[in-house]
Amino acid sequence: MDQEMNERIVGATPPGTQDRESAAQAVREMFSSIAPRYDLLNHVLSFNIDRFWWWRTARRFDAILQRPEARVLDLCCGTGDMAFALHRRALRRRVGSGASHILGADFSHAMLQRAAAKAQEKDKDKEKGSGATLCWIEADALRLPFPDEHFNLVTSAFGFRNLADYDAGLREIARVLAPGGECGILDFGEPGGLIGQCYRVYFKKVLPAVGTMISGVRGPYAYLPASVERFPAPDEMLERMRLAGFLEVSWTPYTFGIAGLYRGVKSV
Ligand SMILES: C[S@@+](CC[C@H](N)C(=O)[O-])C[C@H]1O[C@@H](n2cnc3c(N)ncnc32)[C@H](O)[C@@H]1O
């Protein structure tokens, strides 16, 4: 499997795209076009389970988040919900030592604008605290503007699947992680059995129709099930993580495997 995997570039290919550059551009345009309705659609189409998935993922990395001065990058942060979940967990740390730094990165300006506006709203309310900072940066996950070995944790929620080259994405995550740092990739899966059959009807028929109706944009919500179908199955994804230099790789299914968390540790 290793040699075959090394030879193929596997990544997102929205309709009409032929190479990494055109795929990335189509993905950026797609998310920018749905940015105004993205949060509403996420919550409606997932029946609000998305909030639980972000929370569960952030909780998985408590040990890192509660370290003083931990450096955390949330890749493909979109409108920020994964980053907010990480920030909330980091704020639980007892005050007294240096703050952790959480950075949300995305290449869609429109998605980041929503993230920043939501952060401002939250600041006004209650989620202030000196234990953790939260900032945003416009950046491409395949060409991150950070030095080697900079972060203690890199996460990505429902974004990694959209990269035009998964192996290049994993290598870039490994590059910016400090030795012993952890990577957490939350993404959709394909549940099996009877639940899987029912879910597929919902995911392939109902979700694209409702998504297109509410967003007013044709395309992105048909691309979603197609991109999940193309995404490597857990065993293959774990092998790709090993090849990129991660140890202790694991996949934890969430909600019957509708989503799941890939985790790995960068070798010391
Ligand atoms: C499905 S959204 C996920 C947003 C958020 N993480 C969440 O959980 O709701 C995918 C995001 O990945 C971003 N994205 C896709 N490819 C990217 C790349 N190469 N570099 C940076 N961001 C990327 C898109 O712009 C989009 O905001």
Side-chain angles (χ1 to χ4, degrees):
M1 182 149 89
D2 290 9
Q3 196 189 344
E4 191 201 336
M5 283 183 7
N6 278 333
E7 284 165 4
R8 268 187 305 144
I9 290 187
V10 178
T13 47
T17 63
Q18 315 79 24
D19 51 33
R20 261 175 59 155
E21 274 62 41
S22 59
Q25 193 182 336
V27 165
R28 184 165 50 234
E29 283 168 7
M30 195 158 55
F31 282 105
S32 298
S33 74
I34 57 171
R37 291 285 170 104
Y38 178 81
D39 286 331
L40 171 69
L41 272 158
N42 248 2
H43 303 323
V44 169
L45 294 172
S46 75
F47 304 101
N48 258 333
I49 297 174
D50 51 356
R51 295 179 199 275
F52 169 68
W53 292 335
W54 291 313
W55 170 80
R56 193 171 163 190
T57 300
R59 189 187 58 168
R60 177 68 188 75
F61 297 106
D62 267 354
I64 297 178
L65 292 169
Q66 291 176 17
R67 248 186 245 163
E69 309 204 350
R71 287 200 281 232
V72 179
L73 173 65
D74 181 42
L75 271 185
C76 305
C77 67
T79 59
D81 287 308
M82 184 70 243
F84 293 128
L86 294 164
H87 186 233
R88 277 193 291 275
R89 298 301 296 182
L91 285 176
R92 290 160 55 95
R93 185 163 55 83
R94 269 186 298 247
V95 289
S97 37
S100 351
H101 303 286
I102 294 156
L103 194 55
D106 200 286
F107 69 2
S108 160
H109 187 74
M111 294 290 267
L112 279 178
Q113 273 182 322
R114 314 258 340 148
K118 281 159 69 180
Q120 237 173 14
E121 273 308 302
K122 285 176 197 289
D123 259 3
K124 270 197 243 151
D125 309 338
K126 51 188 187 301
E127 288 177 17
K128 278 194 203 144
S130 54
T133 64
L134 178 57
C135 304
W136 313 101
I137 182 169
E138 200 166 320
D140 185 338
L142 298 182
R143 285 180 216 93
L144 290 172
F146 306 113
D148 296 355
E149 306 191 349
H150 188 70
F151 293 98
N152 306 103
L153 170 64
V154 177
T155 59
S156 182
F158 308 108
F160 185 86
R161 178 179 28 87
N162 299 293
L163 299 187
D165 183 339
Y166 300 141
D167 296 322
L170 288 170
R171 284 194 299 269
E172 193 61 348
I173 294 174
R175 182 185 70 76
V176 298
L177 270 177
E182 295 191 27
C183 150
I185 297 172
L186 170 64
D187 224 310
F188 287 112
E190 297 198 289
L194 187 60
I195 290 179
Q197 282 175 25
C198 301
Y199 175 71
R200 266 188 288 284
V201 173
Y202 169 73
F203 200 57
K204 289 187 173 178
K205 303 272 183 229
V206 182
L207 182 147
V210 177
T212 302
M213 193 175 71
I214 302 185
S215 68
V217 184
R218 199 178 288 277
Y221 287 90
Y223 158 79
L224 174 58
S227 70
V228 174
E229 219 166 54
R230 273 185 59 82
F231 194 58
D235 280 353
E236 184 185 329
M237 182 64 188
L238 293 176
E239 188 55 25
R240 288 184 185 279
M241 290 176 74
R242 279 188 208 99
L243 288 173
F246 290 99
L247 306 173
E248 297 172 43
V249 297
S250 63
W251 178 69
T252 308
Y254 289 0
T255 320
F256 310 109
I258 290 173
L261 177 66
Y262 294 93
R263 181 186 156 270
V265 179
K266 179 173 167 179
S267 50
V268 178

